[in-house]
Amino acid sequence: MECQNSQPSRPSAHSGAPRGLGPWLHLLTGPRRCAYGAPETATAAALGLHLPCGPCLDKSPDPTAVPHFPQDSTVDCQTDMAFLHAAAGLLILCAVSSAQRLRGDNSPLCTPSDEFGKYCPTTCGVADYLHKYKPSMDRDLDDMEYMLTEVFNLTRDTQDKVVYMRDSEAQTKKTITSDVYIKKSSSMLDDILRFERSIVEQEAQIYDLDHMLSANEKRMLQLRQLALQLEQKCKKPCEDTVQIQPTTGKDCQDIANKGARTSGLYFVKPMKATEQFLVYCEIDSAGSGWTVLQRRRDGSLDFSKNWIQYKEGFGYLSPDDLSEFWLGNEKMHLLSTQSSIPYVLRIELTDWEGNKKNADYAMFKVGPEADMYRLTYAYYFGGDAGDAFDGYDFGDDPSDKFYTSHNGMQFSTADRDNDKYQGNCAKQDGSGWWMNRCHAAHLNGKYYKGGRYTEKDAGEHGFDNGIIWAAWHSRWYSMKETTMKMIPINRMHIGGGQQAGVKQFGGLGDM
Ligand SMILES: [Ca+2]
């Protein structure tokens, strides 16, 4: 193979290829047109490989020496050419075969190259070329080594950190787990202590409750026995209280006329009544039958009622005649207006000293509701209690007697003012009655135990509101017991005062 370029040329320093890898790219690409093995050799040297065809030894043994490319050394070059050719032959043989094998460069001729000049480069040229680029290559290698070291260090640091973090994590896990278990154990111990205390307290409570239960069971047993005893005791009285006599009639005298001789509860049905109703009949052995309209016994019944209650009646009727009641304005009306035979109203009074007196009124009637159950009678029939229904002269005013009379008065309640007073007598006194302005007799008044009472006792209005019969006791004296009852007037003459009631209260039969 002949070298056809005669013009030697200084190898250009750089051909625009990048620094560092530039020369290597240059050797691989630029000299491709030259089939010498120098680039291959240079590549091998750069890679630190043993040169198979031998390095440059003759011209530049000193790596620091300036590459020797004399402009006018054509003869020397030619002189050495034989030896060089021989060496180059070997080199080329090896290089070509190797280069061709590695680079695939099969060009048989050496073509001109800017980098190598017009002469084919000698081994020394190749070496010089290599020497020229070696520093930059070394720097690159150093840079790369430095970078590798950096990367290695960074990697090692990272590994150390990873290891440290793993250790820390493991340690933390151990610590956390340990702490959690300790806390849990502590909490469980606290719970156990608390439960134990609770168990002790509950056991004490159970003990107490057992005792209480036992005591209660004993008490219940005693109460059961007591209930049994009471039940046995109650049986007879209970049967008695519901006993209602079988005879019926239009009033108690009618019942007595039918042969009844026992006082007690009876059903009566006045002529105009739509249905029968229960009354207490006071029947004596002579066959006089009193129909009882009102009872005050002990103050057990509150007489502060409204219009409807006074109309329908309130309280309880009892066979033993011991309970308090108001039979009812409507029933009084039906009873007192049913017959052509007039009735006598008897008022019986008992004071707190046990004295008993009475007052009778002939032709007694209670009007219909349309007339506000007006009270009327023909005359005072007699009695030792005096005629309080006719009013009483209290000495306050000449009109006292007139304005405290009751004959012809309509019935008034707190919610139905039918009196002759500018105010409301029934409301002030808290009871219903045949109020005028207001009364000398008032059997539905407030119950004062002991009898005597004062304005202060009378409450906010301060008026005399007791159970009053002014013809006997002062208006500041309240009766202990009262009874209002009626009987047909023809019975008042039978027996000449032999009737129990008449005899007891003054023998009106003689009148
Ligand atoms: Ca009035």
Side-chain angles (χ1 to χ4, degrees):
M1 183 173 292
E2 291 289 328
C3 202
Q4 295 185 359
N5 296 316
S6 59
Q7 294 298 320
S9 173
R10 296 174 71 89
S12 57
H14 290 283
S15 60
R19 181 181 173 273
L21 295 176
W24 306 100
L25 290 173
H26 185 77
L27 286 174
L28 292 171
T29 57
R32 184 177 293 264
R33 287 169 291 173
C34 181
Y36 297 121
E40 176 63 26
T41 306
T43 304
L47 296 174
L49 300 174
H50 176 69
L51 286 171
C53 295
C56 176
L57 300 173
D58 54 342
K59 291 296 181 179
S60 298
D62 181 6
T64 60
V66 177
H68 181 67
F69 285 99
Q71 292 288 340
D72 300 326
S73 60
T74 306
V75 177
D76 293 338
C77 184
Q78 287 174 344
T79 310
D80 297 331
M81 284 300 285
F83 170 74
L84 288 174
H85 277 183
L90 286 172
L91 180 67
I92 288 165
L93 278 174
C94 297
V96 165
S97 61
S98 175
Q100 284 178 343
R101 190 170 59 249
L102 293 173
R103 304 184 310 190
D105 189 350
N106 296 317
S107 176
L109 296 174
C110 182
T111 55
S113 169
D114 291 335
E115 288 78 22
F116 293 90
K118 59 184 179 181
Y119 296 105
C120 287
T122 62
T123 304
C124 292
V126 173
D128 290 342
Y129 186 83
L130 292 176
H131 283 305
K132 179 176 175 59
Y133 287 101
K134 188 173 184 296
S136 65
M137 182 192 69
D138 288 339
R139 282 196 304 275
D140 290 338
L141 284 171
D142 288 342
D143 289 344
M144 290 176 70
E145 188 176 3
Y146 176 76
M147 289 169 70
L148 280 169
T149 305
E150 286 279 296
V151 169
F152 175 74
N153 288 338
L154 285 172
T155 305
R156 192 175 59 191
D157 287 348
T158 306
Q159 283 178 340
D160 289 346
K161 283 183 180 175
V162 167
V163 169
Y164 172 76
M165 286 173 72
R166 280 179 182 158
D167 291 346
S168 297
E169 187 188 4
Q171 186 64 28
T172 305
K173 277 183 178 174
K174 284 181 183 174
T175 307
I176 289 172
T177 309
S178 174
D179 284 351
V180 167
Y181 286 144
I182 287 170
K183 285 180 181 172
K184 277 189 176 175
S185 299
S186 176
S187 174
M188 287 171 71
L189 281 171
D190 289 344
D191 287 343
I192 289 167
L193 284 172
R194 199 159 52 245
F195 287 142
E196 282 179 349
R197 283 197 294 271
S198 176
I199 287 167
V200 170
E201 290 172 0
Q202 287 178 0
E203 280 177 348
Q205 285 180 353
I206 288 168
Y207 182 78
D208 292 343
L209 287 171
D210 278 342
H211 274 272
M212 199 183 294
L213 184 65
S214 175
N216 281 341
E217 281 175 348
K218 284 181 184 171
R219 180 70 182 147
M220 283 176 70
L221 190 63
Q222 291 172 350
L223 287 173
R224 281 200 191 99
Q225 290 171 345
L226 193 62
L228 278 173
Q229 291 171 0
L230 287 173
E231 195 177 346
Q232 287 171 349
K233 281 185 183 175
C234 279
K235 269 185 180 175
K236 274 193 174 179
C238 288
E239 287 171 358
D240 291 341
T241 55
V242 296
Q243 185 180 359
I244 297 172
Q245 303 299 328
T247 314
T248 60
K250 61 179 184 178
D251 60 17
C252 290
Q253 185 57 58
D254 189 28
I255 290 170
N257 292 342
K258 294 176 180 176
R261 290 295 179 269
T262 304
S263 295
L265 298 179
Y266 291 85
F267 277 112
V268 296
K269 189 171 184 298
M271 293 175 66
K272 292 184 287 183
T274 55
E275 57 186 8
Q276 64 178 14
F277 53 86
L278 204 62
V279 295
Y280 182 81
C281 289
E282 195 179 282
I283 303 173
D284 62 17
S285 55
S288 293
W290 294 85
T291 304
V292 181
L293 308 178
Q294 187 252 31
R295 287 284 197 203
R296 304 296 293 273
R297 292 294 193 201
D298 50 15
S300 58
L301 179 62
D302 181 13
F303 272 64
S304 177
K305 306 290 184 184
N306 60 25
W307 181 263
I308 297 294
Q309 289 167 310
Y310 270 100
K311 174 186 175 182
E312 301 296 334
F314 53 88
Y316 302 95
L317 298 169
S318 60
D320 55 7
D321 193 30
L322 292 176
S323 57
E324 299 190 322
F325 64 90
W326 178 258
L327 185 62
N329 291 342
E330 186 64 26
K331 296 184 181 77
M332 293 182 195
H333 164 67
L334 293 170
L335 285 166
S336 64
T337 59
Q338 65 176 322
S339 162
S340 57
I341 303 173
Y343 285 90
V344 168
L345 170 69
R346 169 160 291 178
I347 290 168
E348 294 176 351
L349 305 167
T350 304
D351 67 9
W352 289 88
E353 284 72 42
N355 304 308
K356 296 178 183 298
K357 291 190 177 182
N358 75 288
D360 296 344
Y361 293 90
M363 316 284 282
F364 160 74
K365 282 186 182 178
V366 173
E369 185 178 21
D371 196 22
M372 305 300 169
Y373 300 118
R374 188 188 300 273
L375 168 70
T376 57
Y377 60 88
Y379 52 92
Y380 175 59
F381 201 76
D384 52 1
D387 186 9
F389 267 0
D390 196 36
Y392 190 80
D393 185 3
F394 292 100
D396 299 332
D397 192 276
S399 65
D400 279 354
K401 188 174 174 66
F402 177 76
Y403 283 117
T404 55
S405 65
H406 297 281
N407 195 6
M409 293 299 111
Q410 293 178 320
F411 202 86
S412 289
T413 55
D415 59 335
R416 198 71 73 87
D417 180 6
N418 299 312
D419 61 25
K420 306 297 183 185
Y421 176 46
Q422 61 182 7
N424 186 335
C425 296
K427 193 171 186 179
Q428 287 180 356
D429 288 359
S431 54
W433 192 246
W434 295 279
M435 296 288 188
N436 190 339
R437 210 177 85 176
C438 290
H439 51 66
H442 182 23
L443 302 188
N444 289 344
K446 187 175 177 181
Y447 197 89
Y448 287 98
K449 287 188 174 177
R452 304 185 190 281
Y453 67 104
T454 64
E455 291 181 19
K456 194 177 178 182
D457 298 327
E460 60 170 317
H461 299 292
F463 293 107
D464 49 325
N465 61 355
I467 301 171
I468 298 167
W469 196 261
W472 181 14
H473 281 294
S474 134
R475 53 183 165 175
W476 298 105
Y477 185 95
S478 184
M479 298 295 170
K480 183 184 180 188
E481 295 180 16
T482 69
T483 300
M484 293 172 64
K485 58 187 182 183
M486 55 181 275
I487 196 170
I489 195 169
N490 60 344
R491 294 299 303 180
M492 299 298 289
H493 302 285
I494 296 172
Q498 295 303 308
Q499 299 98 321
V502 173
K503 192 176 183 180
Q504 184 180 353
F505 285 93
L508 288 178
D510 296 334
M511 295 179 68

